[in-house]
Amino acid sequence: MKPMTVSSLPVATLGLPRIGPKRELKFALERFWSGQIDEALLQNTAAGLRAANWTRQEMAGVIEIPSNDFSLYDHVLDTSVMVGAIPPAYGWQGGEVPLSTYFAMARGAQPGPANACGCGAATPAGGVPAQEMTKWFDTNYHFMVPEFRRGQTFALASRKPIEHFEEAKAQGVTTRPVLVGPVSFLALGKSADETLDRLSLLPGLLPVYAEVLRALGEAGAAWVQIDEPCLVLDTDERTRDALRLAYETLAREVPSIRLMLTSYFGGLGESLDTVARLPVAGVHLDLVRAPNQFQAALAALPPDRVLSMGVIDGRNIWRADLGHLLDWIEPVVAARDRVQIAPSCSLLHVPMDLESETALDPELRRWLAFAQQKMHELATLGQALAGGRESVQAALDDSADAARSRRTSERIHDKAVAARIEAVTPVMSRRAKPFAERQAQQRQSFALPAFPTTTIGSFPQTAEVRQARAAHTKAEISDADYEAFLRKETEAAIRWQEEIGLDVLVHGEFERNDMVQYFGEQLAGFAFTKSGWVQSYGSRCVRPPILFGDVSRPKPMTVAWWRYSQSLTDRPVKGMLTGPVTILNWSFVRNDVPRSVACRQIALAIRDEVLDLEAAGARIIQIDEAALREGLPLRRSEWQAYLDWAVESFRLCSSGVGDATQIHTHMCYSEFNDIIEAIGAMDADVISIETSRSKMELLGAFSRYRYPNEIGPGVYDIHSPRVPDTREMVDLLGRARERLADGQIWVNPDCGLKTRKWDEVRPALVNMVEAAKALRKTSGQAAK
Ligand code: GLN
Ligand code: ZN
């Protein structure tokens, strides 16, 4: 640990964005994967980003600076690799894990000698799919799900935490390395063998953790931040036993290392007492999400433990009211020796720096803080606590001013929106007819074959598409030229879909930068950044809109593109919208009204669009709710309240249409067994859903709940460059037919295809159409 300076209280960060302020890592990764740069150059870029982050934190006045928060793809994948939890399919033979194996786990690998990830190493014949990916708690960050098997052994297989510690040290920064804790690592994993109790693997895993801690100690680390975010979930006695075992073992085996046990995204709840008694040197609490746990934590935590107060919101971009925070923290610091000030969680989930956002409205900009500004807020708090408020008076005054201006600004409150919300009646959230009657009308109107084929919406966003968009944004090409280009792309996509025989077409979404941003940009109440990128998975980043005020839709958003696309073909083209819950969940949301209220405002705006599409002639309208599940509160006791308003919002936006208009929705996650009733309650005529990565695992839900409407369980994992063959898809559909009636089943990929290349998409969709045709031949025989 660095010597504590007298002028400040220890200020910590728990992790920084790793993608780079200009997404340098993204571009390096993608060049590497496509064979344009070699591993050395990729590693060089990565090292540069780490160095810059360490410097950035030092300059800002952060005392406890993390290392090993950086990852080339995902920190949970890093952990699997660190402990050698690598499924046999990846062909790892022991020893240091090569980058080719790492990326095969992340992205899958094509068969044959030339590896799809561009690293040249041979891959197992037949190729291998990527590990499963899922959302990191209730964020839009995705992690690679660790995979365990019976008899799983662990061995140190990557020294990355130690290497990065040494790298920082060589730069003159003694860091506090971050590790995903052993209990969360096991708890977040999965096993093909459902009877395997993952926590039973803990005794085998702990020696590897001890080895890492020991090596870190030898390298000069005094503290290690160990993340156990699973503690904010509902935990049982088994988990708490595991926790005791883990930290008692590590304290005994490596007494020289002081652990900062870190949880975030919620309160410790029933785990609080256990945590307070663990033999760790410090405990970090998320006091933004769970301020209520503070008094109890204060009482339970022995005075010799360092208390890390997570008071700056790591999940949102609003500036803190520092004076207000000090009112709260000052008495704690006065009464207690060992206190640190920190963000609520890693700053991974906010953009790097507001500085470059010169185009933002100045009034709004004053209300915001990104990672860089949050570090300054922390440093200001630290200084005020050590040297008195006067020592940072100007900064405190400025913070108070900004908070006041936000509370009273007229840019935020729109009377017309309030009036519309008032006027919403229950009838507005119900389709006029029950599903069976709608289905009969829709069948007559569309005359689709059995097992109709469709895609989720987007087609590859090629370099050409992205370049054209960038050139248009920079005004290098005219509106008319850009429009002509998009029309050409759209027309080609429509023609190609007709050619390969898809039944329900999409326009390809070439005009969209992102499924949420595209709508946010056209809605009142949203603002956008130029480079406020946040990592979503691997090299993929999003720029979440900032929902700062009341929402309304000044004019139609998608009707012109739909109309053009439909004019090109006789087959139905879906109108394609993003749903209110997803827009909400993928935005940085105002924190001055409940989320349910903000969501309902968006629902009314989307409803306007749905009705305009229908009026223009659209007979199928898809409203994506990709992010519905990730908005679920982490504690089950809070689920129903969320689902109630989320489902209600979806229904409010979708229920204004006639019976014959077919409403589709799409969700891209497979773990929906536990909310299947709520998904049924959305009453979409058709839902498409991710299932291929988990090999149709979701269908388990249908043994206890009969999904009433139509459903397309995804048969093509679009997160991987791998092209599935027809037989594989027929197989997956065969499994679906064991649980669903033939008349319910649609055939589609897992998700949109924007991140894929045409070379991957073309053969995959041709195979998919073949699979549907194969099924049609057998239809009726296998139906239940
Ligand atoms: N319609 C969107 C697309 O195809 C859906 C994406 C998503 O669900 N994430 O890109
Ligand atoms: Zn999806």
Side-chain angles (χ1 to χ4, degrees), residues 440-497:
Q441 287 196 38
Q442 290 163 17
R443 286 214 162 134
Q444 209 168 26
S445 146
F446 301 124
L448 294 172
F451 306 105
T453 52
T454 190
T455 60
I456 308 304
S458 58
F459 277 123
Q461 294 257 329
T462 57
E464 219 192 338
V465 171
R466 280 179 280 120
Q467 274 156 19
R469 181 182 311 128
H472 179 243
T473 309
K474 289 189 220 137
E476 286 163 15
I477 60 172
S478 68
D479 289 355
D481 285 351
Y482 183 53
E483 170 108 7
F485 168 80
L486 292 174
R487 281 180 170 241
K488 197 179 73 196
E489 292 291 310
T490 307
E491 177 167 12
I494 295 274
R495 292 284 164 258
W496 182 75
Q497 291 172 84

Side-chain angles (χ1 to χ4, degrees), residues 713-734:
V715 291
Y716 158 26
D717 171 15
I718 62 85
H719 298 96
S720 161
R722 195 173 148 272
V723 174
D725 60 30
T726 300
R727 211 193 38 205
E728 193 177 328
M729 294 192 265
V730 168
D731 250 28
L732 287 174
L733 286 163

Side-chain angles (χ1 to χ4, degrees), residues 213-287:
L213 293 179
R214 221 172 280 124
L216 283 170
E218 280 158 20
W223 280 84
V224 168
Q225 172 189 328
I226 197 143
D227 287 3
E228 291 287 10
C230 74
L231 294 177
V232 309
L233 307 173
D234 297 320
T235 52
D236 53 13
E237 201 48 42
R238 290 266 306 124
T239 309
R240 290 190 290 277
D241 283 346
L243 203 67
R244 280 185 284 264
L245 173 65
Y247 291 93
E248 277 157 18
T249 307
L250 294 178
R252 194 178 55 239
E253 295 291 318
V254 203
S256 58
I257 286 282
R258 282 179 278 181
L259 295 179
M260 174 60 76
L261 186 82
T262 301
S263 64
Y264 36 77
F265 305 150
L268 290 173
E270 67 279 5
S271 300
L272 177 64
D273 285 332
T274 308
V275 168
R277 277 196 285 266
L278 293 175
V280 291
V283 171
H284 168 86
L285 301 173
D286 181 339
L287 298 175

Side-chain angles (χ1 to χ4, degrees), residues 269 272-273 276 285 287 291-302 336:
L272 177 64
D273 285 332
L285 301 173
L287 298 175
N292 295 341
Q293 68 177 330
F294 189 56
Q295 287 311 325
L298 214 48
L301 206 62
R336 203 181 164 101

Side-chain angles (χ1 to χ4, degrees), residues 456-458 509 515 576 586 622 624 626 666 668 751-754:
I456 308 304
S458 58
E509 303 182 19
M515 66 183 286
M576 197 61 66
W586 283 351
Q622 178 171 314
D624 293 328
H666 162 73
C668 30
C751 194
L753 300 162
K754 66 195 277 187

